[in-house]
Amino acid sequence: MDFITLLFIACGLAMDSFAVSVASGFTISDLRPKNAFTIALFFGFFQGFMPVIGWFAGYNMRDVIAGVDHWIAFSLLAIIGLKMIYESAKMNGKDRGNDPPKIAALLMLSIATSIDALAVGFSLSLLKVMIITPALVIGLVTFVLSFLGVYIGDRFGHFFEKKLELAGGVILIGIGLKILVEHLSQ
């Protein structure tokens, strides 16, 4: 897998976390760098770790589904992308609150936003892509975008949230189509 494709996957996956970070930044009235770092650390860690879990699950099933692996990878990415597009259409704005998210809330949000990364890890194992570099890139991109997202949310609120979720969905569907076309043309 080339690095540009990996960056697009990482950016696509990070859009959920970025959108939640923007919303979190909007809800924190007295934002501190520690708040942004904590939020970004949770999202970056889970987005980087979940593909590893998905990769090991897919690695164990690779031989069984080798003939249709490209269809599975495409389907998973398309479903994730369509889900993100659908969720972008139903997002609402929130009123500004006072406190940063609690650890329990961050844990739940981190897991919820990284389920897509689990499916991508599964897809990468079917494509016989080693997981170390993708997991690190996905985690790092998510960390950086989430950190920035908190500050963007503090400044601009929910203006960008829907558009980013939509863009992430379109990117993942495009990558799924690319995988499908490459495998069908071989």
Side-chain angles (χ1 to χ4, degrees), residues 10 16 27 42 67 75 85 102 108-109 145 149 152 154 160 186:
D16 274 351
T27 62
F42 268 82
S75 298
I85 291 168
K102 305 283 187 236
M108 287 189 299
L109 288 169
L145 290 177
I152 290 170
D154 185 50
F160 294 113
Q186 291 177 352

Side-chain angles (χ1 to χ4, degrees), residues 11-25:
C11 288
L13 288 173
M15 288 303 117
D16 274 351
S17 298
F18 182 81
V20 173
S21 297
V22 168
S24 295

